[in-house]
Amino acid sequence: MLIVAVATLVFMLENPTPVSVSFLGWSTPHLPISLFLVISMLTGLVLGPFFTLYTVMRKRNL
């Protein structure tokens, strides 16, 4: 876990370029690109197990 934390910190320090993300008329303020990528990764880590659990439960009920 420490290796992942260090790798994430290095990644964030190496990618400080500010960007703005626009989606369906909604736009974010200019923030570092690494922040958006880390948020996306964390969202996937949180939601992924729920979708896997849903799929496993659905297959058991068939």
Side-chain angles (χ1 to χ4, degrees):
M1 189 68 157
L2 182 61
I3 293 172
V4 173
V6 170
T8 302
L9 179 64
V10 170
F11 175 77
M12 291 184 79
L13 292 173
E14 291 291 323
N15 293 290
T17 306
V19 296
S20 178
V21 176
S22 298
F23 181 69
L24 298 174
W26 179 74
S27 183
T28 65
H30 284 79
L31 296 170
I33 192 168
S34 58
L35 183 64
F36 290 112
L37 294 174
V38 169
I39 289 172
S40 297
M41 180 190 70
L42 292 175
T43 302
L45 287 171
V46 170
L47 294 179
F50 290 112
F51 287 116
T52 302
L53 180 64
Y54 173 74
T55 304
V56 169
M57 296 297 283
R58 215 170 121 208
K59 285 184 179 182
R60 284 188 182 171
N61 290 335
L62 292 178

